[in-house]
Amino acid sequence: MALPKTDFHREAKTADITIWKEALFGAEFLLLHTSPVYYGLGVPHGDGSGVVLVPGFLGTDSYLTQLRYWLERIGYRPHFSGIGLNAECPNLLIQRRLNESIERARRETGRKIHLIGHSLGGVMARSIANQRPDDVASVITLAAPFRGNVAHKAILRAAEAVRKRILAQHGPSVLPTCYTAMCTCRFVDSLHRKMPKSVLETAIYTRNDGVVDWHYCVTGSPSVDFEVPGTHIGLAFNASAYSIIAHRLAQAHPEI
């Protein structure tokens, strides 16, 4: 697999991708409900471990409801992130809201938890896993550009609008480079670190991604990266992705 030369791309770049294909995510949603995987057939079941779900850019927990119900159905204790709309400084969202959800899941199960994040939510999940390896058994990302912000121009424009609002709202409470890969906050700094060996990492991606450049959603390791057919948005409802999630969760063994 040919990856970009830089380990972590610090500047936002426009990806040469076609966003209209994302309209096909509805087909993935419908196909999910016809798949045996969705009903817990042919996949390993869970051990009651906690799983915290993190939504993507401009998304809320609500669109991850199908994934939450499915995880519950196969034997896990899923939790929503509780962050509200993901259009805020990730560092603040982690400190003020997401850490609370992780701690609650940890208390309820008495063992390490799993993190599953879609898109920007996956980037946040990887950052948290590096910050809290003693609390996290595994991290699974769905179309998450954790190696750099290389996306469709419409996404970059929306991100810049969010950035300006963050700076206007929080002022000196955030760094001037907030919401960019050049920020030096704990959220971005944690992304530069190598994932601890105690955390089982999984990166699920699609080459048909119409939102971000898929090259920035993978680690380059065949044992970690898993390709599925589908769209960026649709990975939250993708039966192939669900099957991989079930098998990878089963491979991680949360300790107390």
Side-chain angles (χ1 to χ4, degrees), residues 42-51 70-71 74-76 111 113-116 137-140 200-202 226 241-255:
V43 295
H45 282 226
D47 57 1
S49 299
V51 184
W70 173 73
L71 286 166
I74 66 170
Y76 292 96
R111 63 179 76 179
I113 57 93
H114 305 279
L115 295 171
I116 301 177
S138 74
V139 58
I140 298 175
L200 181 70
E201 56 180 320
T202 303
F226 296 84
Y242 278 31
S243 179
I244 294 169
I245 290 171
H247 283 88
R248 294 296 281 179
L249 287 177
Q251 289 181 40
H253 301 287
E255 302 171 353

Side-chain angles (χ1 to χ4, degrees), residues 133-202:
D134 292 339
D135 297 318
V136 178
S138 74
V139 58
I140 298 175
T141 59
L142 305 172
F146 51 84
R147 297 184 67 246
N149 188 15
V150 182
H152 189 275
K153 59 183 178 181
I155 304 302
L156 296 181
R157 284 197 298 266
E160 180 59 20
V162 169
R163 187 178 110 78
K164 289 179 179 178
R165 184 190 60 76
I166 291 171
L167 294 176
Q169 180 177 344
H170 297 291
S173 298
V174 296
L175 294 169
T177 51
C178 182
Y179 224 68
T180 74
M182 292 181 287
C183 191
T184 55
C185 68
R186 191 180 183 194
F187 161 67
V188 176
D189 179 66
S190 298
L191 289 175
H192 298 168
R193 305 179 202 167
K194 188 175 181 180
M195 192 66 63
K197 291 183 178 179
S198 61
V199 179
L200 181 70
E201 56 180 320
T202 303

Side-chain angles (χ1 to χ4, degrees), residues 34-88:
T34 66
S35 171
V37 171
Y38 185 66
Y39 301 98
L41 303 176
V43 295
H45 282 226
D47 57 1
S49 299
V51 184
V52 177
L53 307 177
V54 191
F57 177 55
L58 298 182
T60 65
D61 287 328
S62 60
Y63 82 89
L64 297 176
T65 297
Q66 298 295 319
L67 179 55
R68 184 182 190 278
Y69 285 159
W70 173 73
L71 286 166
E72 193 170 49
R73 199 152 47 239
I74 66 170
Y76 292 96
R77 297 184 66 175
H79 294 255
F80 282 139
S81 69
I83 66 173
L85 182 69
N86 196 345
E88 177 60 280

Side-chain angles (χ1 to χ4, degrees), residues 120-137:
L120 175 57
V123 181
M124 294 168 66
R126 282 186 66 94
S127 178
I128 296 166
N130 267 317
Q131 293 177 31
R132 309 184 58 161
D134 292 339
D135 297 318
V136 178

Side-chain angles (χ1 to χ4, degrees), residues 52 81-83 90-107 113 115 124 127-129 131-132 135-136 186:
V52 177
S81 69
I83 66 173
N91 202 45
L92 293 180
L93 287 179
I94 291 171
Q95 292 176 14
R96 297 177 180 179
R97 301 177 189 174
L98 195 45
N99 276 333
E100 290 183 7
S101 298
I102 291 171
E103 287 160 10
R104 183 168 59 253
R106 188 89 157 90
R107 286 194 305 269
I113 57 93
L115 295 171
M124 294 168 66
S127 178
I128 296 166
Q131 293 177 31
R132 309 184 58 161
D135 297 318
V136 178
R186 191 180 183 194

